[in-house]
Amino acid sequence: MGKLVVYLKYFFIVFFVIIQTIVFKALSFVFPDTTKKIILKLGEKTTMTQNPKFKFEDWGPTFWTLNFVKAAVVHAWKNTGDKACVGGLAPNTPVLNLDGEKNRYLRFY
């Protein structure tokens, strides 16, 4: 039953990303200024918009594209079933060191 819940959560995330992409792609054709404001508002949560080196014209159009959906789906799949609890072990996710070598978190740390 636990695996079923995990997979249902994954498929819900994929469904949500696809619906969000369709809605915002349509919104960007009808109301491009409003869509830009929404993207900038979403960017405030990650402080991406506060960095003067990141211009909206560089990263804004990449939202709600096929590459965006693909990256979101791959990220969601890699994190499916990962669970961390206070006082417990962290998920053993893959990480890269500064030399570009791929390791696992627990081995790297």
Side-chain angles (χ1 to χ4, degrees), residues 6-19:
V6 169
Y7 289 123
L8 286 175
K9 285 181 182 180
Y10 169 73
F11 286 116
F12 174 75
I13 290 170
V14 170
F15 178 74
F16 178 74
V17 168
I18 291 171
I19 294 299

Side-chain angles (χ1 to χ4, degrees), residues 49-79:
T49 57
Q50 297 171 6
N51 188 340
K53 292 183 180 180
F54 288 128
K55 297 179 183 170
F56 176 80
E57 290 75 23
D58 294 336
W59 58 268
T62 62
F63 276 80
W64 301 300
T65 61
L66 184 58
N67 286 337
F68 173 79
V69 172
K70 186 174 141 184
V73 168
V74 167
H75 179 73
W77 181 255
K78 286 184 178 182
N79 292 322

Side-chain angles (χ1 to χ4, degrees), residues 3-4 6 13 15 18 21 27 32 35 37-38 45 48-49 56 62 64-65 73 75 81 87-88 97 101 107-109:
K3 283 189 176 185
L4 178 64
V6 169
I13 290 170
F15 178 74
I18 291 171
T21 302
L27 187 66
T35 306
K37 287 179 186 176
I38 292 170
K45 294 180 181 179
M48 183 186 233
T49 57
F56 176 80
T62 62
W64 301 300
T65 61
V73 168
H75 179 73
N97 64 12
E101 297 172 5
R107 185 169 163 244
F108 180 76
Y109 183 68

